[in-house]
Amino acid sequence: MDEFGIIARYFAPLATAPGSLALTDDAAVIPARPGCDLVVTMDQIAEETDFFKHDPPDAVARKALRVNLSDLAAKGAKPEYYLLALSLPQGMTEDWLASFASGLRADQEAFGISLLGGDTSATEGPLAIAVTAFGFVPKGRMVKRKGARPGDAVFVTGTIGDSAGGLAIFRRERHALTEEQRDYLVNRYREPLPPVLFGARHLRDFATASVDISDGLIADLGHLAKTSGVAIAIDAMAIPRSDALRAFWGEDAAAIVRAATAGDDYQIVFTADPACEGGILAAAADSRISVTRIGQVEPGEGVALVHQGRPLDVGRPGYRHF
Ligand code: ADP
Ligand code: MG
């Protein structure tokens, strides 16, 4: 099947927005929406770097979308559209494409988004999937990395380090986990759970600054601290970790550092006036996620991970590609 066949068969059915023109034109149209800003983000995932050859294609599709949805969530935007660029190695099967498209469809339905267009090409290299996602916020209300103020508290969604635990299992790190715990961690690596509803519906009511966690909690908080011109102190013991990850890596400081620097979480970390805590927890419950208060913003610079009154030596604060 050539690229036009692939597009017509697998992707055109996902292009449900009128502006996509059913993928029959050179470009798509996003109607301007008075009173709103359009928020745009792009993230790419590649085989062997962000997923494995043996991963189910529908999970790969979901990961490609969700690593972008976490960025929109962190900006307080409601996701609506995406563009999809596929670099396909020779020999991709129809079965693979059908499963991949079914994963896209499932997440389109789960998150209320639709495909606007994209590009399909062959590559000599590994499979790579680039998504550009579009969301809307009320005009001027995108939540930025800049804006944290000394006195603000720091909050994080979900649990931290699960995806890194799943990756460690794939890399054959020894463990004594139940099958359920193992599956939980592996699934968090394959399919992140960004707080899309919380981001779209509630975040901008509270957050003074926000960032999604892709490289590692400490590394990404470092970006927020730097852009905001503040220091951040995190209480190591307060960082939310799942029972499965605790069972895997234990409870000591080294386990916390590992979880906080590993990345691939696709949760969001944000700052807000501590007086908002009650409202934030109620909003989290409304969105069926957890939010945990983990630290505070101070004058100065840098991120400290504090354990028993002392800053821990975190070494490398997060994942680096180069
Ligand atoms: P061009 O020749 O301008 O590159 P294409 O032939 O690549 O155009 O694309 C034709 C149509 O199919 C366009 O509407 C494009 O957005 C869409 N398209 C191509 N690849 C994909 C894809 N992987 N996912 C979604 N839409 C795609
Ligand atoms: Mg093209």
Side-chain angles (χ1 to χ4, degrees), residues 22-66:
L23 310 186
T24 57
D25 212 312
D26 301 305
V29 180
I30 299 179
R33 196 171 297 178
C36 287
D37 287 331
L38 183 59
V39 179
V40 181
T41 187
M42 173 181 223
D43 258 323
Q44 169 170 253
I45 63 172
E47 193 175 293
E48 297 311 317
T49 306
D50 305 281
F51 62 91
F52 293 107
K53 218 185 186 78
H54 60 250
D55 282 342
D58 57 330
V60 173
R62 289 197 187 91
K63 186 166 192 177
L65 284 176
R66 292 178 186 191

Side-chain angles (χ1 to χ4, degrees), residues 9-308:
R9 175 137 182 209
Y10 297 108
F11 299 129
L14 300 174
T16 51
S20 70
L21 304 167
L23 310 186
T24 57
D25 212 312
D26 301 305
V29 180
I30 299 179
R33 196 171 297 178
C36 287
D37 287 331
L38 183 59
V39 179
V40 181
T41 187
M42 173 181 223
D43 258 323
Q44 169 170 253
I45 63 172
E47 193 175 293
E48 297 311 317
T49 306
D50 305 281
F51 62 91
F52 293 107
K53 218 185 186 78
H54 60 250
D55 282 342
D58 57 330
V60 173
R62 289 197 187 91
K63 186 166 192 177
L65 284 176
R66 292 178 186 191
V67 301
N68 282 277
L69 297 182
S70 70
D71 283 294
L72 292 181
K75 302 299 99 181
K78 178 178 180 296
E80 300 222 1
Y81 307 111
Y82 66 100
L83 295 168
L84 174 69
L86 280 179
S87 304
L88 298 175
Q90 297 300 332
M92 300 301 291
T93 62
E94 295 260 340
D95 280 352
W96 192 93
L97 285 165
S99 171
F100 181 79
S102 77
L104 294 177
R105 176 178 297 283
D107 267 12
Q108 289 196 184
E109 282 162 17
F111 299 113
I113 56 178
S114 67
L115 180 61
L116 266 192
D119 196 35
T120 306
S121 57
T123 177
E124 303 282 306
L127 171 62
I129 305 155
V131 168
T132 302
F134 302 82
F136 286 99
V137 289
K139 202 160 194 51
R141 299 292 307 282
M142 187 181 96
V143 183
K144 305 197 179 75
R145 291 182 178 184
K146 182 178 173 139
R149 305 157 306 190
D152 282 349
V154 180
F155 298 87
V156 70
T157 63
T159 53
I160 296 302
D162 292 334
S163 173
L167 179 59
I169 290 169
F170 280 134
R171 294 197 169 137
R172 300 180 191 286
E173 189 171 318
R174 271 134 75 61
H175 63 78
L177 298 173
T178 64
E179 198 172 324
E180 198 181 336
Q181 289 169 329
R182 187 193 169 282
D183 288 351
Y184 170 82
L185 294 174
V186 164
N187 284 337
R188 291 292 70 74
Y189 175 77
R190 284 188 176 148
E191 294 185 27
L193 295 173
V196 173
L197 194 62
F198 178 80
R201 200 181 269 176
H202 299 293
L203 184 73
R204 59 179 181 271
D205 294 338
F206 308 109
T208 53
S210 171
V211 65
D212 87 314
I213 306 168
S214 52
D215 296 336
L217 173 67
I218 302 301
D220 288 310
L221 264 177
H223 302 314
L224 186 153
K226 189 170 184 196
T227 315
S228 291
V230 296
I232 287 176
I234 297 299
D235 172 5
M237 294 297 282
I239 295 173
R241 288 175 303 138
S242 66
D243 291 342
L245 193 70
R246 289 169 190 271
F248 188 7
W249 285 350
E251 302 282 347
D252 62 0
I256 300 173
V257 169
R258 193 171 176 192
T261 58
D264 250 359
D265 295 299
Y266 304 105
Q267 295 298 321
I268 64 183
V269 61
F270 61 96
T271 55
D273 187 325
C276 294
E277 183 165 2
I280 290 169
L281 297 181
D286 172 64
S287 318
R288 296 170 205 282
I289 62 159
S290 64
V291 171
T292 308
R293 183 169 170 177
I294 58 169
Q296 66 271 339
V297 180
E298 296 168 354
E301 60 181 45
V303 178
L305 185 59
V306 181
H307 185 59
Q308 295 171 346

